[in-house]
Amino acid sequence: MADAKSGRIEVLDENGGPVRSMVCQGRIIAMTVDRKGRVYAATDVDTGSVQVFGPSGESLGVLRDQDGFGEWFSGIRSMNMGPDDTLLFTAYNRAFLFQVPGN
């Protein structure tokens, strides 16, 4: 569960009780989870970034493209993870696929 304004993500158990929380920089726009339990949160930081957290809630960094830039992630409005851990997101009325490194 994400609180967009506070930038906080809460992982809940099957009864709705808190398990762990993560804090993002900026306001959360969209969020998804991959097969390994990593959490991807698109925020409004630097006109848009995707912050990644490990299954235990530890920060793993920010997604960058193959050239080391994050511009592809500016303006994200929705985000989902495909069955092969390919990140699908929409920005500026276009859809994009991004192969997440290490999957």
Side-chain angles (χ1 to χ4, degrees):
M1 178 177 75
D3 180 351
K5 290 185 180 179
S6 73
R8 187 178 177 142
I9 298 169
E10 291 287 335
V11 177
L12 307 175
D13 65 19
E14 61 275 357
N15 297 315
V19 175
R20 67 184 160 282
S21 64
M22 297 156 263
V23 178
C24 295
Q25 296 177 350
R27 186 172 60 94
I28 300 170
I29 307 297
M31 184 181 76
T32 191
V33 180
D34 70 12
R35 293 179 297 169
K36 295 179 181 177
R38 293 176 292 203
V39 175
Y40 299 80
T43 69
D44 60 0
V45 171
D46 296 328
T47 68
S49 68
V50 176
Q51 298 171 38
V52 185
F53 297 89
S56 301
E58 72 279 12
S59 176
L60 298 177
V62 176
L63 285 184
R64 303 279 183 221
D65 65 18
Q66 67 268 17
D67 296 321
F69 299 105
E71 292 99 20
W72 284 103
F73 305 111
S74 69
I76 288 180
R77 293 294 168 247
S78 64
M79 184 169 59
N80 202 353
M81 191 64 68
D84 61 350
D85 286 340
T86 297
L87 185 64
L88 167 66
F89 61 93
T90 61
Y92 303 114
N93 298 322
R94 293 179 289 175
F96 299 90
L97 293 173
F98 182 82
Q99 184 61 52
V100 176
N103 287 335

